[in-house]
Amino acid sequence: MNPLLQHLPEEIYTDRLRIRVPQKGDGDTVYASIQRSKEELKKWLPFAMKEQTAAEVEQNLREAYAKFLLRQDIRLLLFEKSSGEFVGSSGLHQLDWDVPKCEIGYWIDSHKSGYGFVTEAVEAITAYAFTHIQAKRVCIRCDSANQNSRAVAVRAGFQLEGILKNDEWSVDKTMLTDTAIYAKTVE
């Protein structure tokens, strides 16, 4: 089936989270979260290394929604159901509709870290990938030194497939890093 014609829900609910595609006006909230979490995020994520304005984040989120409609990428924002507070961002990236397969990425507002929100989101988003995209493979790639990200993969039931040595430059471009590859597959 043509991915453009495939129905993909725009929201997912878990016990504690409302997970949804970006909407017009989310930029200020996400921008504030990035600013609060910048020191932690810039260790691992290139987008946190550059200075952005709230307007640029809003534009990026609108572009993410367009990519969702085109089925090129699925960015998802995480909100606490009880309070409506923004928790973080995740999504399905590197979509390959021919296999089909994808990669889950995620980051969390530093103030929401340590409560299991990312693991809960990854479990729900993985189920979404297997159900709605009919993925045969979902993977998580992260710097092997990022113990928090690796712990999420393990808690969510992903299996370590291997470590790619000297795979990428660090975010600050000062050294080569190793990449840990975790995956869940369907037979």
mmCIF file with all atom_site columns, all heavy atoms in Angstrom, residues 12-39:
data_model
loop_
_atom_site.group_PDB
_atom_site.id
_atom_site.type_symbol
_atom_site.label_atom_id
_atom_site.label_alt_id
_atom_site.label_comp_id
_atom_site.label_asym_id
_atom_site.label_entity_id
_atom_site.label_seq_id
_atom_site.pdbx_PDB_ins_code
_atom_site.Cartn_x
_atom_site.Cartn_y
_atom_site.Cartn_z
_atom_site.occupancy
_atom_site.B_iso_or_equiv
_atom_site.pdbx_formal_charge
_atom_site.auth_seq_id
_atom_site.auth_comp_id
_atom_site.auth_asym_id
_atom_site.auth_atom_id
_atom_site.pdbx_PDB_model_num
ATOM 1   N N   . ILE A 1 12 ? -1.590 8.958  20.480 1.00 0.00 ? 12 ILE A N   1
ATOM 2   C CA  . ILE A 1 12 ? -1.487 7.691  21.201 1.00 0.00 ? 12 ILE A CA  1
ATOM 3   C C   . ILE A 1 12 ? -1.648 8.042  22.680 1.00 0.00 ? 12 ILE A C   1
ATOM 4   O O   . ILE A 1 12 ? -1.144 9.079  23.130 1.00 0.00 ? 12 ILE A O   1
ATOM 5   C CB  . ILE A 1 12 ? -0.095 7.046  21.031 1.00 0.00 ? 12 ILE A CB  1
ATOM 6   C CG1 . ILE A 1 12 ? 0.320  6.921  19.584 1.00 0.00 ? 12 ILE A CG1 1
ATOM 7   C CG2 . ILE A 1 12 ? -0.022 5.699  21.739 1.00 0.00 ? 12 ILE A CG2 1
ATOM 8   C CD1 . ILE A 1 12 ? 1.792  6.572  19.402 1.00 0.00 ? 12 ILE A CD1 1
ATOM 9   N N   . TYR A 1 13 ? -2.292 7.170  23.432 1.00 0.00 ? 13 TYR A N   1
ATOM 10  C CA  . TYR A 1 13 ? -2.425 7.387  24.873 1.00 0.00 ? 13 TYR A CA  1
ATOM 11  C C   . TYR A 1 13 ? -1.827 6.210  25.624 1.00 0.00 ? 13 TYR A C   1
ATOM 12  O O   . TYR A 1 13 ? -1.976 5.054  25.214 1.00 0.00 ? 13 TYR A O   1
ATOM 13  C CB  . TYR A 1 13 ? -3.897 7.547  25.262 1.00 0.00 ? 13 TYR A CB  1
ATOM 14  C CG  . TYR A 1 13 ? -4.492 8.824  24.728 1.00 0.00 ? 13 TYR A CG  1
ATOM 15  C CD1 . TYR A 1 13 ? -5.145 8.845  23.495 1.00 0.00 ? 13 TYR A CD1 1
ATOM 16  C CD2 . TYR A 1 13 ? -4.381 10.014 25.445 1.00 0.00 ? 13 TYR A CD2 1
ATOM 17  C CE1 . TYR A 1 13 ? -5.681 10.026 23.001 1.00 0.00 ? 13 TYR A CE1 1
ATOM 18  C CE2 . TYR A 1 13 ? -4.916 11.195 24.957 1.00 0.00 ? 13 TYR A CE2 1
ATOM 19  C CZ  . TYR A 1 13 ? -5.554 11.185 23.735 1.00 0.00 ? 13 TYR A CZ  1
ATOM 20  O OH  . TYR A 1 13 ? -6.077 12.350 23.237 1.00 0.00 ? 13 TYR A OH  1
ATOM 21  N N   . THR A 1 14 ? -1.136 6.514  26.716 1.00 0.00 ? 14 THR A N   1
ATOM 22  C CA  . THR A 1 14 ? -0.650 5.498  27.645 1.00 0.00 ? 14 THR A CA  1
ATOM 23  C C   . THR A 1 14 ? -1.271 5.813  29.000 1.00 0.00 ? 14 THR A C   1
ATOM 24  O O   . THR A 1 14 ? -2.100 6.727  29.106 1.00 0.00 ? 14 THR A O   1
ATOM 25  C CB  . THR A 1 14 ? 0.888  5.531  27.765 1.00 0.00 ? 14 THR A CB  1
ATOM 26  O OG1 . THR A 1 14 ? 1.289  6.749  28.418 1.00 0.00 ? 14 THR A OG1 1
ATOM 27  C CG2 . THR A 1 14 ? 1.564  5.431  26.397 1.00 0.00 ? 14 THR A CG2 1
ATOM 28  N N   . ASP A 1 15 ? -0.875 5.106  30.026 1.00 0.00 ? 15 ASP A N   1
ATOM 29  C CA  . ASP A 1 15 ? -1.420 5.380  31.358 1.00 0.00 ? 15 ASP A CA  1
ATOM 30  C C   . ASP A 1 15 ? -1.199 6.825  31.771 1.00 0.00 ? 15 ASP A C   1
ATOM 31  O O   . ASP A 1 15 ? -2.086 7.454  32.342 1.00 0.00 ? 15 ASP A O   1
ATOM 32  C CB  . ASP A 1 15 ? -0.789 4.457  32.411 1.00 0.00 ? 15 ASP A CB  1
ATOM 33  C CG  . ASP A 1 15 ? -1.262 3.027  32.278 1.00 0.00 ? 15 ASP A CG  1
ATOM 34  O OD1 . ASP A 1 15 ? -2.302 2.796  31.622 1.00 0.00 ? 15 ASP A OD1 1
ATOM 35  O OD2 . ASP A 1 15 ? -0.597 2.134  32.831 1.00 0.00 ? 15 ASP A OD2 1
ATOM 36  N N   . ARG A 1 16 ? -0.013 7.369  31.470 1.00 0.00 ? 16 ARG A N   1
ATOM 37  C CA  . ARG A 1 16 ? 0.323  8.710  31.948 1.00 0.00 ? 16 ARG A CA  1
ATOM 38  C C   . ARG A 1 16 ? 0.544  9.741  30.861 1.00 0.00 ? 16 ARG A C   1
ATOM 39  O O   . ARG A 1 16 ? 0.696  10.913 31.158 1.00 0.00 ? 16 ARG A O   1
ATOM 40  C CB  . ARG A 1 16 ? 1.594  8.643  32.808 1.00 0.00 ? 16 ARG A CB  1
ATOM 41  C CG  . ARG A 1 16 ? 1.453  7.755  34.029 1.00 0.00 ? 16 ARG A CG  1
ATOM 42  C CD  . ARG A 1 16 ? 2.715  7.732  34.858 1.00 0.00 ? 16 ARG A CD  1
ATOM 43  N NE  . ARG A 1 16 ? 3.840  7.229  34.084 1.00 0.00 ? 16 ARG A NE  1
ATOM 44  C CZ  . ARG A 1 16 ? 5.113  7.468  34.370 1.00 0.00 ? 16 ARG A CZ  1
ATOM 45  N NH1 . ARG A 1 16 ? 5.432  8.225  35.402 1.00 0.00 ? 16 ARG A NH1 1
ATOM 46  N NH2 . ARG A 1 16 ? 6.072  6.966  33.626 1.00 0.00 ? 16 ARG A NH2 1
ATOM 47  N N   . LEU A 1 17 ? 0.599  9.313  29.600 1.00 0.00 ? 17 LEU A N   1
ATOM 48  C CA  . LEU A 1 17 ? 0.998  10.222 28.526 1.00 0.00 ? 17 LEU A CA  1
ATOM 49  C C   . LEU A 1 17 ? -0.042 10.356 27.421 1.00 0.00 ? 17 LEU A C   1
ATOM 50  O O   . LEU A 1 17 ? -0.732 9.402  27.078 1.00 0.00 ? 17 LEU A O   1
ATOM 51  C CB  . LEU A 1 17 ? 2.299  9.737  27.885 1.00 0.00 ? 17 LEU A CB  1
ATOM 52  C CG  . LEU A 1 17 ? 3.539  9.719  28.757 1.00 0.00 ? 17 LEU A CG  1
ATOM 53  C CD1 . LEU A 1 17 ? 4.680  9.022  28.024 1.00 0.00 ? 17 LEU A CD1 1
ATOM 54  C CD2 . LEU A 1 17 ? 3.940  11.128 29.152 1.00 0.00 ? 17 LEU A CD2 1
ATOM 55  N N   . ARG A 1 18 ? -0.069 11.559 26.870 1.00 0.00 ? 18 ARG A N   1
ATOM 56  C CA  . ARG A 1 18 ? -0.736 11.827 25.595 1.00 0.00 ? 18 ARG A CA  1
ATOM 57  C C   . ARG A 1 18 ? 0.405  12.087 24.621 1.00 0.00 ? 18 ARG A C   1
ATOM 58  O O   . ARG A 1 18 ? 1.201  13.005 24.811 1.00 0.00 ? 18 ARG A O   1
ATOM 59  C CB  . ARG A 1 18 ? -1.640 13.047 25.697 1.00 0.00 ? 18 ARG A CB  1
ATOM 60  C CG  . ARG A 1 18 ? -2.275 13.419 24.368 1.00 0.00 ? 18 ARG A CG  1
ATOM 61  C CD  . ARG A 1 18 ? -3.133 14.670 24.514 1.00 0.00 ? 18 ARG A CD  1
ATOM 62  N NE  . ARG A 1 18 ? -3.741 14.994 23.239 1.00 0.00 ? 18 ARG A NE  1
ATOM 63  C CZ  . ARG A 1 18 ? -3.926 16.236 22.814 1.00 0.00 ? 18 ARG A CZ  1
ATOM 64  N NH1 . ARG A 1 18 ? -3.570 17.275 23.560 1.00 0.00 ? 18 ARG A NH1 1
ATOM 65  N NH2 . ARG A 1 18 ? -4.477 16.465 21.648 1.00 0.00 ? 18 ARG A NH2 1
ATOM 66  N N   . ILE A 1 19 ? 0.495  11.275 23.589 1.00 0.00 ? 19 ILE A N   1
ATOM 67  C CA  . ILE A 1 19 ? 1.571  11.357 22.607 1.00 0.00 ? 19 ILE A CA  1
ATOM 68  C C   . ILE A 1 19 ? 0.920  11.744 21.290 1.00 0.00 ? 19 ILE A C   1
ATOM 69  O O   . ILE A 1 19 ? 0.001  11.069 20.832 1.00 0.00 ? 19 ILE A O   1
ATOM 70  C CB  . ILE A 1 19 ? 2.294  9.996  22.486 1.00 0.00 ? 19 ILE A CB  1
ATOM 71  C CG1 . ILE A 1 19 ? 2.827  9.552  23.856 1.00 0.00 ? 19 ILE A CG1 1
ATOM 72  C CG2 . ILE A 1 19 ? 3.395  10.056 21.442 1.00 0.00 ? 19 ILE A CG2 1
ATOM 73  C CD1 . ILE A 1 19 ? 3.303  8.111  23.897 1.00 0.00 ? 19 ILE A CD1 1
ATOM 74  N N   . ARG A 1 20 ? 1.405  12.847 20.683 1.00 0.00 ? 20 ARG A N   1
ATOM 75  C CA  . ARG A 1 20 ? 0.735  13.308 19.462 1.00 0.00 ? 20 ARG A CA  1
ATOM 76  C C   . ARG A 1 20 ? 1.713  13.994 18.522 1.00 0.00 ? 20 ARG A C   1
ATOM 77  O O   . ARG A 1 20 ? 2.799  14.403 18.911 1.00 0.00 ? 20 ARG A O   1
ATOM 78  C CB  . ARG A 1 20 ? -0.410 14.245 19.814 1.00 0.00 ? 20 ARG A CB  1
ATOM 79  C CG  . ARG A 1 20 ? 0.030  15.531 20.501 1.00 0.00 ? 20 ARG A CG  1
ATOM 80  C CD  . ARG A 1 20 ? -1.085 16.556 20.498 1.00 0.00 ? 20 ARG A CD  1
ATOM 81  N NE  . ARG A 1 20 ? -0.799 17.746 21.254 1.00 0.00 ? 20 ARG A NE  1
ATOM 82  C CZ  . ARG A 1 20 ? -0.015 18.757 20.839 1.00 0.00 ? 20 ARG A CZ  1
ATOM 83  N NH1 . ARG A 1 20 ? 0.591  18.708 19.677 1.00 0.00 ? 20 ARG A NH1 1
ATOM 84  N NH2 . ARG A 1 20 ? 0.157  19.823 21.607 1.00 0.00 ? 20 ARG A NH2 1
ATOM 85  N N   . VAL A 1 21 ? 1.260  14.125 17.276 1.00 0.00 ? 21 VAL A N   1
ATOM 86  C CA  . VAL A 1 21 ? 2.044  14.863 16.291 1.00 0.00 ? 21 VAL A CA  1
ATOM 87  C C   . VAL A 1 21 ? 2.046  16.342 16.672 1.00 0.00 ? 21 VAL A C   1
ATOM 88  O O   . VAL A 1 21 ? 1.144  16.806 17.377 1.00 0.00 ? 21 VAL A O   1
ATOM 89  C CB  . VAL A 1 21 ? 1.503  14.656 14.850 1.00 0.00 ? 21 VAL A CB  1
ATOM 90  C CG1 . VAL A 1 21 ? 1.596  13.191 14.433 1.00 0.00 ? 21 VAL A CG1 1
ATOM 91  C CG2 . VAL A 1 21 ? 0.094  15.170 14.721 1.00 0.00 ? 21 VAL A CG2 1
ATOM 92  N N   . PRO A 1 22 ? 3.037  17.100 16.224 1.00 0.00 ? 22 PRO A N   1
ATOM 93  C CA  . PRO A 1 22 ? 3.071  18.533 16.528 1.00 0.00 ? 22 PRO A CA  1
ATOM 94  C C   . PRO A 1 22 ? 1.862  19.260 15.942 1.00 0.00 ? 22 PRO A C   1
ATOM 95  O O   . PRO A 1 22 ? 1.331  18.891 14.896 1.00 0.00 ? 22 PRO A O   1
ATOM 96  C CB  . PRO A 1 22 ? 4.357  19.011 15.850 1.00 0.00 ? 22 PRO A CB  1
ATOM 97  C CG  . PRO A 1 22 ? 5.179  17.793 15.682 1.00 0.00 ? 22 PRO A CG  1
ATOM 98  C CD  . PRO A 1 22 ? 4.212  16.666 15.477 1.00 0.00 ? 22 PRO A CD  1
ATOM 99  N N   . GLN A 1 23 ? 1.447  20.301 16.646 1.00 0.00 ? 23 GLN A N   1
ATOM 100 C CA  . GLN A 1 23 ? 0.348  21.150 16.196 1.00 0.00 ? 23 GLN A CA  1
ATOM 101 C C   . GLN A 1 23 ? 0.824  22.592 16.147 1.00 0.00 ? 23 GLN A C   1
ATOM 102 O O   . GLN A 1 23 ? 1.798  22.969 16.823 1.00 0.00 ? 23 GLN A O   1
ATOM 103 C CB  . GLN A 1 23 ? -0.835 21.043 17.154 1.00 0.00 ? 23 GLN A CB  1
ATOM 104 C CG  . GLN A 1 23 ? -1.443 19.668 17.225 1.00 0.00 ? 23 GLN A CG  1
ATOM 105 C CD  . GLN A 1 23 ? -2.521 19.554 18.286 1.00 0.00 ? 23 GLN A CD  1
ATOM 106 O OE1 . GLN A 1 23 ? -2.731 20.445 19.101 1.00 0.00 ? 23 GLN A OE1 1
ATOM 107 N NE2 . GLN A 1 23 ? -3.224 18.427 18.276 1.00 0.00 ? 23 GLN A NE2 1
ATOM 108 N N   . LYS A 1 24 ? 0.130  23.379 15.369 1.00 0.00 ? 24 LYS A N   1
ATOM 109 C CA  . LYS A 1 24 ? 0.409  24.812 15.302 1.00 0.00 ? 24 LYS A CA  1
ATOM 110 C C   . LYS A 1 24 ? 0.399  25.382 16.719 1.00 0.00 ? 24 LYS A C   1
ATOM 111 O O   . LYS A 1 24 ? -0.519 25.109 17.493 1.00 0.00 ? 24 LYS A O   1
ATOM 112 C CB  . LYS A 1 24 ? -0.657 25.489 14.437 1.00 0.00 ? 24 LYS A CB  1
ATOM 113 C CG  . LYS A 1 24 ? -0.485 26.969 14.285 1.00 0.00 ? 24 LYS A CG  1
ATOM 114 C CD  . LYS A 1 24 ? -1.593 27.537 13.421 1.00 0.00 ? 24 LYS A CD  1
ATOM 115 C CE  . LYS A 1 24 ? -1.549 29.046 13.436 1.00 0.00 ? 24 LYS A CE  1
ATOM 116 N NZ  . LYS A 1 24 ? -2.668 29.637 12.720 1.00 0.00 ? 24 LYS A NZ  1
ATOM 117 N N   . GLY A 1 25 ? 1.448  26.139 17.056 1.00 0.00 ? 25 GLY A N   1
ATOM 118 C CA  . GLY A 1 25 ? 1.529  26.761 18.368 1.00 0.00 ? 25 GLY A CA  1
ATOM 119 C C   . GLY A 1 25 ? 2.334  26.001 19.404 1.00 0.00 ? 25 GLY A C   1
ATOM 120 O O   . GLY A 1 25 ? 2.523  26.487 20.517 1.00 0.00 ? 25 GLY A O   1
ATOM 121 N N   . ASP A 1 26 ? 2.833  24.827 19.069 1.00 0.00 ? 26 ASP A N   1
ATOM 122 C CA  . ASP A 1 26 ? 3.645  24.050 20.019 1.00 0.00 ? 26 ASP A CA  1
ATOM 123 C C   . ASP A 1 26 ? 5.058  24.617 20.188 1.00 0.00 ? 26 ASP A C   1
ATOM 124 O O   . ASP A 1 26 ? 5.766  24.255 21.125 1.00 0.00 ? 26 ASP A O   1
ATOM 125 C CB  . ASP A 1 26 ? 3.772  22.588 19.574 1.00 0.00 ? 26 ASP A CB  1
ATOM 126 C CG  . ASP A 1 26 ? 2.519  21.772 19.829 1.00 0.00 ? 26 ASP A CG  1
ATOM 127 O OD1 . ASP A 1 26 ? 1.753  22.114 20.754 1.00 0.00 ? 26 ASP A OD1 1
ATOM 128 O OD2 . ASP A 1 26 ? 2.316  20.774 19.104 1.00 0.00 ? 26 ASP A OD2 1
ATOM 129 N N   . GLY A 1 27 ? 5.484  25.477 19.291 1.00 0.00 ? 27 GLY A N   1
ATOM 130 C CA  . GLY A 1 27 ? 6.862  25.950 19.276 1.00 0.00 ? 27 GLY A CA  1
ATOM 131 C C   . GLY A 1 27 ? 7.332  26.581 20.569 1.00 0.00 ? 27 GLY A C   1
ATOM 132 O O   . GLY A 1 27 ? 8.440  26.290 21.040 1.00 0.00 ? 27 GLY A O   1
ATOM 133 N N   . ASP A 1 28 ? 6.531  27.440 21.174 1.00 0.00 ? 28 ASP A N   1
ATOM 134 C CA  . ASP A 1 28 ? 6.949  28.110 22.407 1.00 0.00 ? 28 ASP A CA  1
ATOM 135 C C   . ASP A 1 28 ? 7.200  27.106 23.531 1.00 0.00 ? 28 ASP A C   1
ATOM 136 O O   . ASP A 1 28 ? 8.174  27.221 24.275 1.00 0.00 ? 28 ASP A O   1
ATOM 137 C CB  . ASP A 1 28 ? 5.907  29.142 22.851 1.00 0.00 ? 28 ASP A CB  1
ATOM 138 C CG  . ASP A 1 28 ? 5.911  30.394 21.994 1.00 0.00 ? 28 ASP A CG  1
ATOM 139 O OD1 . ASP A 1 28 ? 6.926  30.664 21.314 1.00 0.00 ? 28 ASP A OD1 1
ATOM 140 O OD2 . ASP A 1 28 ? 4.889  31.103 21.989 1.00 0.00 ? 28 ASP A OD2 1
ATOM 141 N N   . THR A 1 29 ? 6.314  26.129 23.656 1.00 0.00 ? 29 THR A N   1
ATOM 142 C CA  . THR A 1 29 ? 6.446  25.121 24.709 1.00 0.00 ? 29 THR A CA  1
ATOM 143 C C   . THR A 1 29 ? 7.697  24.276 24.508 1.00 0.00 ? 29 THR A C   1
ATOM 144 O O   . THR A 1 29 ? 8.466  24.040 25.441 1.00 0.00 ? 29 THR A O   1
ATOM 145 C CB  . THR A 1 29 ? 5.195  24.214 24.729 1.00 0.00 ? 29 THR A CB  1
ATOM 146 O OG1 . THR A 1 29 ? 4.057  25.031 24.996 1.00 0.00 ? 29 THR A OG1 1
ATOM 147 C CG2 . THR A 1 29 ? 5.313  23.119 25.760 1.00 0.00 ? 29 THR A CG2 1
ATOM 148 N N   . VAL A 1 30 ? 7.905  23.815 23.286 1.00 0.00 ? 30 VAL A N   1
ATOM 149 C CA  . VAL A 1 30 ? 9.071  22.976 22.997 1.00 0.00 ? 30 VAL A CA  1
ATOM 150 C C   . VAL A 1 30 ? 10.352 23.801 23.122 1.00 0.00 ? 30 VAL A C   1
ATOM 151 O O   . VAL A 1 30 ? 11.348 23.330 23.684 1.00 0.00 ? 30 VAL A O   1
ATOM 152 C CB  . VAL A 1 30 ? 8.938  22.312 21.604 1.00 0.00 ? 30 VAL A CB  1
ATOM 153 C CG1 . VAL A 1 30 ? 10.197 21.539 21.246 1.00 0.00 ? 30 VAL A CG1 1
ATOM 154 C CG2 . VAL A 1 30 ? 7.708  21.393 21.580 1.00 0.00 ? 30 VAL A CG2 1
ATOM 155 N N   . TYR A 1 31 ? 10.330 25.030 22.652 1.00 0.00 ? 31 TYR A N   1
ATOM 156 C CA  . TYR A 1 31 ? 11.488 25.918 22.776 1.00 0.00 ? 31 TYR A CA  1
ATOM 157 C C   . TYR A 1 31 ? 11.882 26.091 24.248 1.00 0.00 ? 31 TYR A C   1
ATOM 158 O O   . TYR A 1 31 ? 13.060 25.977 24.603 1.00 0.00 ? 31 TYR A O   1
ATOM 159 C CB  . TYR A 1 31 ? 11.180 27.277 22.149 1.00 0.00 ? 31 TYR A CB  1
ATOM 160 C CG  . TYR A 1 31 ? 12.249 28.311 22.385 1.00 0.00 ? 31 TYR A CG  1
ATOM 161 C CD1 . TYR A 1 31 ? 13.428 28.305 21.635 1.00 0.00 ? 31 TYR A CD1 1
ATOM 162 C CD2 . TYR A 1 31 ? 12.097 29.279 23.371 1.00 0.00 ? 31 TYR A CD2 1
ATOM 163 C CE1 . TYR A 1 31 ? 14.421 29.245 21.858 1.00 0.00 ? 31 TYR A CE1 1
ATOM 164 C CE2 . TYR A 1 31 ? 13.085 30.227 23.603 1.00 0.00 ? 31 TYR A CE2 1
ATOM 165 C CZ  . TYR A 1 31 ? 14.244 30.198 22.845 1.00 0.00 ? 31 TYR A CZ  1
ATOM 166 O OH  . TYR A 1 31 ? 15.224 31.126 23.080 1.00 0.00 ? 31 TYR A OH  1
ATOM 167 N N   . ALA A 1 32 ? 10.909 26.364 25.110 1.00 0.00 ? 32 ALA A N   1
ATOM 168 C CA  . ALA A 1 32 ? 11.190 26.550 26.538 1.00 0.00 ? 32 ALA A CA  1
ATOM 169 C C   . ALA A 1 32 ? 11.802 25.288 27.141 1.00 0.00 ? 32 ALA A C   1
ATOM 170 O O   . ALA A 1 32 ? 12.740 25.361 27.941 1.00 0.00 ? 32 ALA A O   1
ATOM 171 C CB  . ALA A 1 32 ? 9.906  26.939 27.278 1.00 0.00 ? 32 ALA A CB  1
ATOM 172 N N   . SER A 1 33 ? 11.321 24.141 26.726 1.00 0.00 ? 33 SER A N   1
ATOM 173 C CA  . SER A 1 33 ? 11.855 22.878 27.221 1.00 0.00 ? 33 SER A CA  1
ATOM 174 C C   . SER A 1 33 ? 13.299 22.672 26.756 1.00 0.00 ? 33 SER A C   1
ATOM 175 O O   . SER A 1 33 ? 14.163 22.236 27.538 1.00 0.00 ? 33 SER A O   1
ATOM 176 C CB  . SER A 1 33 ? 10.976 21.718 26.747 1.00 0.00 ? 33 SER A CB  1
ATOM 177 O OG  . SER A 1 33 ? 11.485 20.494 27.207 1.00 0.00 ? 33 SER A OG  1
ATOM 178 N N   . ILE A 1 34 ? 13.558 22.968 25.500 1.00 0.00 ? 34 ILE A N   1
ATOM 179 C CA  . ILE A 1 34 ? 14.931 22.851 24.977 1.00 0.00 ? 34 ILE A CA  1
ATOM 180 C C   . ILE A 1 34 ? 15.861 23.765 25.761 1.00 0.00 ? 34 ILE A C   1
ATOM 181 O O   . ILE A 1 34 ? 16.968 23.355 26.148 1.00 0.00 ? 34 ILE A O   1
ATOM 182 C CB  . ILE A 1 34 ? 14.976 23.168 23.468 1.00 0.00 ? 34 ILE A CB  1
ATOM 183 C CG1 . ILE A 1 34 ? 14.254 22.080 22.663 1.00 0.00 ? 34 ILE A CG1 1
ATOM 184 C CG2 . ILE A 1 34 ? 16.425 23.319 22.989 1.00 0.00 ? 34 ILE A CG2 1
ATOM 185 C CD1 . ILE A 1 34 ? 14.011 22.433 21.206 1.00 0.00 ? 34 ILE A CD1 1
ATOM 186 N N   . GLN A 1 35 ? 15.443 24.982 26.010 1.00 0.00 ? 35 GLN A N   1
ATOM 187 C CA  . GLN A 1 35 ? 16.282 25.925 26.751 1.00 0.00 ? 35 GLN A CA  1
ATOM 188 C C   . GLN A 1 35 ? 16.572 25.414 28.166 1.00 0.00 ? 35 GLN A C   1
ATOM 189 O O   . GLN A 1 35 ? 17.704 25.497 28.634 1.00 0.00 ? 35 GLN A O   1
ATOM 190 C CB  . GLN A 1 35 ? 15.633 27.315 26.800 1.00 0.00 ? 35 GLN A CB  1
ATOM 191 C CG  . GLN A 1 35 ? 15.501 27.980 25.446 1.00 0.00 ? 35 GLN A CG  1
ATOM 192 C CD  . GLN A 1 35 ? 16.804 28.001 24.665 1.00 0.00 ? 35 GLN A CD  1
ATOM 193 O OE1 . GLN A 1 35 ? 17.827 28.466 25.144 1.00 0.00 ? 35 GLN A OE1 1
ATOM 194 N NE2 . GLN A 1 35 ? 16.782 27.467 23.453 1.00 0.00 ? 35 GLN A NE2 1
ATOM 195 N N   . ARG A 1 36 ? 15.557 24.874 28.848 1.00 0.00 ? 36 ARG A N   1
ATOM 196 C CA  . ARG A 1 36 ? 15.728 24.339 30.204 1.00 0.00 ? 36 ARG A CA  1
ATOM 197 C C   . ARG A 1 36 ? 16.673 23.143 30.219 1.00 0.00 ? 36 ARG A C   1
ATOM 198 O O   . ARG A 1 36 ? 17.367 22.904 31.195 1.00 0.00 ? 36 ARG A O   1
ATOM 199 C CB  . ARG A 1 36 ? 14.384 23.854 30.770 1.00 0.00 ? 36 ARG A CB  1
ATOM 200 C CG  . ARG A 1 36 ? 13.572 24.865 31.481 1.00 0.00 ? 36 ARG A CG  1
ATOM 201 C CD  . ARG A 1 36 ? 12.429 24.217 32.256 1.00 0.00 ? 36 ARG A CD  1
ATOM 202 N NE  . ARG A 1 36 ? 11.579 23.350 31.469 1.00 0.00 ? 36 ARG A NE  1
ATOM 203 C CZ  . ARG A 1 36 ? 10.525 23.751 30.758 1.00 0.00 ? 36 ARG A CZ  1
ATOM 204 N NH1 . ARG A 1 36 ? 10.208 25.035 30.722 1.00 0.00 ? 36 ARG A NH1 1
ATOM 205 N NH2 . ARG A 1 36 ? 9.798  22.894 30.085 1.00 0.00 ? 36 ARG A NH2 1
ATOM 206 N N   . SER A 1 37 ? 16.668 22.370 29.141 1.00 0.00 ? 37 SER A N   1
ATOM 207 C CA  . SER A 1 37 ? 17.366 21.089 29.094 1.00 0.00 ? 37 SER A CA  1
ATOM 208 C C   . SER A 1 37 ? 18.641 21.128 28.264 1.00 0.00 ? 37 SER A C   1
ATOM 209 O O   . SER A 1 37 ? 19.273 20.095 28.048 1.00 0.00 ? 37 SER A O   1
ATOM 210 C CB  . SER A 1 37 ? 16.409 20.038 28.509 1.00 0.00 ? 37 SER A CB  1
ATOM 211 O OG  . SER A 1 37 ? 15.183 20.054 29.196 1.00 0.00 ? 37 SER A OG  1
ATOM 212 N N   . LYS A 1 38 ? 19.006 22.298 27.797 1.00 0.00 ? 38 LYS A N   1
ATOM 213 C CA  . LYS A 1 38 ? 20.079 22.449 26.815 1.00 0.00 ? 38 LYS A CA  1
ATOM 214 C C   . LYS A 1 38 ? 21.387 21.786 27.240 1.00 0.00 ? 38 LYS A C   1
ATOM 215 O O   . LYS A 1 38 ? 22.038 21.116 26.441 1.00 0.00 ? 38 LYS A O   1
ATOM 216 C CB  . LYS A 1 38 ? 20.302 23.921 26.511 1.00 0.00 ? 38 LYS A CB  1
ATOM 217 C CG  . LYS A 1 38 ? 21.089 24.165 25.246 1.00 0.00 ? 38 LYS A CG  1
ATOM 218 C CD  . LYS A 1 38 ? 21.021 25.642 24.910 1.00 0.00 ? 38 LYS A CD  1
ATOM 219 C CE  . LYS A 1 38 ? 21.238 25.922 23.481 1.00 0.00 ? 38 LYS A CE  1
ATOM 220 N NZ  . LYS A 1 38 ? 20.340 25.428 22.515 1.00 0.00 ? 38 LYS A NZ  1
ATOM 221 N N   . GLU A 1 39 ? 21.795 21.961 28.479 1.00 0.00 ? 39 GLU A N   1
ATOM 222 C CA  . GLU A 1 39 ? 23.088 21.409 28.918 1.00 0.00 ? 39 GLU A CA  1
ATOM 223 C C   . GLU A 1 39 ? 23.117 19.890 28.792 1.00 0.00 ? 39 GLU A C   1
ATOM 224 O O   . GLU A 1 39 ? 24.117 19.326 28.367 1.00 0.00 ? 39 GLU A O   1
ATOM 225 C CB  . GLU A 1 39 ? 23.416 21.852 30.344 1.00 0.00 ? 39 GLU A CB  1
ATOM 226 C CG  . GLU A 1 39 ? 23.796 23.305 30.445 1.00 0.00 ? 39 GLU A CG  1
ATOM 227 C CD  . GLU A 1 39 ? 24.899 23.721 29.460 1.00 0.00 ? 39 GLU A CD  1
ATOM 228 O OE1 . GLU A 1 39 ? 25.959 23.073 29.428 1.00 0.00 ? 39 GLU A OE1 1
ATOM 229 O OE2 . GLU A 1 39 ? 24.683 24.687 28.701 1.00 0.00 ? 39 GLU A OE2 1
#
